[in-house]
Amino acid sequence: MAPSTLPPVLAAIDVGTNAVRLELARPDADGALETLHQERDPIRPGEGVFATGAMPEETAERLLSTLRRYAALCKRHKALVRAVATSALRESRNRDDIVRRVREETGLDLEVVSGKEEARLICLGVLHRKPPNTRSLLIDIGGGSTEVAVTTGERPDHLWSLALGAVRLTEVFDASQEVSSKHLRLMRSFVAETVRKTLPEKVSGAPQRALGSSGTINAVVSFACGESGSLATARQISQAVDALAALPPERRRKRFDPRRADIIVSGALILEGVMKHLGVESVSAVNRGLRDGLLVDLLYRQDASHKDNRLTAAALEIGKRFFFDEKHSRQVSRLAVTLFDALAALHQLPLSTRPYLEVAALLHDIGNAVSYERHHKHTYYLIHNADIPGLSERERELVALVARYHRRSLPKVSHPNMVGLPTSEARTVRKLATLLRVADSLDCSHQQLIESLRATTLRDVVTLHLNARQPLDLELWDVNREVAYFRSVFGKRLSFHVSK
């Protein structure tokens, strides 16, 4: 393959609680990822965060120094980058300042992902190319949180994030040194109570063998079943907890990396607690995780042929929570994405923005659950504060803006919600909101009268050919109010041709 035709290098950066990791990879012809370079820096980004509530300046400087080096490596490889931070930065009071400094000093857009998005990415990494009907139970123990997922293929059916991690538990109970039998009982009780409050007692269809994807789980399983083993029973894990707690700190440091040794008892206790609560019989350690999931996510974003329904499913779940008109929302979404596809040459937006329009269309009316009056503003607030696996915090904000401007005020750059947006993002919001306004008007009656839509462009006119099962008097009256704004955004007049 000639160098000019090689697929782009993908880069995943994971700012965890214990360490910061970088992986550079390139997809091959079969869609598998070939690792080009890996780095791991155990700089403990979460050190002190759970005790003080903020990342200390010394820690922030270590993080920035590491990310400057990673950014230079990504730039050298001309890589497409996704950089995320998990629970340590998620719970830090000065997270916004840290993210701003990272952007200014490294050029990286560091996403602080939710616990559910973290779990989704871990699923992608561990279960990539898993047979589509295979059921899996996945556990990942990080420094500040533990993610649990039940999946079909690589698609999560249920996601949970527990505010319980190996570093957090160690700091709360000062468990890096001696762990007495009384101390151990208290920690077990605390873990059991935290797990009970977050996880259901039984998950229908969940396998009794779990996959464990973190370095902590790998270390615990290896200790529990012997150096060469990667599968440990629940009984072996419980025995490992007792044995690890009984080891003097200096013996633990000889057996494990020093930083791992400090938190290994807490990690083992969390694994034991989750397995016991869910009735898991055994856990198999795997060497893939969040970083791999970031690479797979980047791979899917570059592949126009990859159809991923997770966002649609997540949006529908949120819509049902707010008692939305599902038939209307689905119709508006179908019309909006049809317009997006048909007018690609006109709007010239990247394919990666299509899901923003689809989700905004599905959720554009959820503000009605608060009040019909100004429901577009309520919709913005609800989406802005929602947890939507598959969307970063920044992407969720763009979706919220597109949905907010489906009626009333136009998304002009001078409007309060638009002030401060980068030019490219403001342009994206204006174009997507315009398509959504047209699509919403075309189901103004909420009767789904339009069966199909196609668009043709000729000189300065875009004609929408509408196949309808009944007259569209109300729809045509409403959509004509959007014609002037459509022309101001796209530079073309909008006309309509209706047939049965």
Side-chain angles (χ1 to χ4, degrees), residues 87-283:
S87 60
L89 205 53
R90 193 157 61 224
E91 298 186 29
S92 180
R93 285 195 309 270
N94 56 345
R95 54 176 274 186
D96 292 342
D97 181 56
I98 301 296
V99 169
R100 177 189 56 78
R101 290 174 65 186
V102 168
R103 186 183 302 113
E104 291 175 354
E105 296 187 30
T106 73
L108 295 170
D109 287 318
L110 182 62
E111 303 170 31
V112 183
V113 295
S114 69
K116 284 191 174 182
E117 173 66 356
E118 182 180 352
R120 184 192 72 84
L121 289 167
I122 292 166
C123 288
L124 273 183
V126 174
L127 304 172
H128 181 45
R129 296 188 155 191
K130 197 82 168 175
N133 295 320
T134 305
R135 296 279 285 173
S136 303
L137 171 63
L138 180 63
I139 304 171
D140 183 277
I141 299 173
S145 66
T146 295
E147 277 61 51
V148 179
V150 176
T151 70
T152 303
E154 61 183 44
R155 176 179 57 82
D157 297 314
H158 304 284
L159 297 171
W160 298 275
S161 183
L162 294 77
L164 189 67
V167 172
R168 186 198 298 267
L169 188 63
T170 300
E171 289 186 357
V172 168
F173 284 91
D174 191 22
S176 62
Q177 300 301 314
E178 298 284 348
V179 180
S180 67
S181 56
K182 180 180 179 181
H183 206 167
L184 187 62
R185 284 197 302 273
L186 286 172
M187 292 176 73
R188 266 196 170 115
S189 177
F190 179 83
V191 168
E193 180 65 14
T194 305
V195 170
R196 185 188 64 79
K197 287 180 179 178
T198 309
L199 294 179
E201 288 189 11
K202 187 175 182 181
V203 181
S204 178
Q208 292 189 313
R209 175 183 289 187
L211 298 173
S213 63
S214 65
T216 295
I217 290 179
N218 272 265
V220 171
V221 169
S222 176
F223 180 85
C225 64
E227 288 290 344
S228 59
S230 61
L231 176 69
T233 64
R235 183 179 180 183
Q236 285 176 316
I237 295 298
S238 290
Q239 290 172 340
V241 170
D242 294 330
L244 286 167
L247 278 179
E250 60 273 13
R251 291 273 305 279
R252 276 188 241 138
R253 292 190 180 96
K254 286 181 179 179
R255 176 66 175 73
F256 303 99
D257 170 87
R259 287 182 179 270
R260 180 79 67 197
D262 290 346
I263 62 173
I264 195 69
V265 175
S266 295
L269 275 166
I270 295 168
L271 181 59
E272 177 195 46
V274 172
M275 291 178 69
K276 187 175 292 186
H277 181 83
L278 294 177
V280 176
E281 293 178 355
S282 61
V283 58

Side-chain angles (χ1 to χ4, degrees), residues 13 24 77 84 90 126 137 164 175 198 226 234 247 309 362 376 461:
I13 297 175
L24 297 167
H77 286 84
V84 304
R90 193 157 61 224
V126 174
L137 171 63
L164 189 67
T198 309
L247 278 179
N309 296 318
L362 286 170
H376 52 298
V461 180

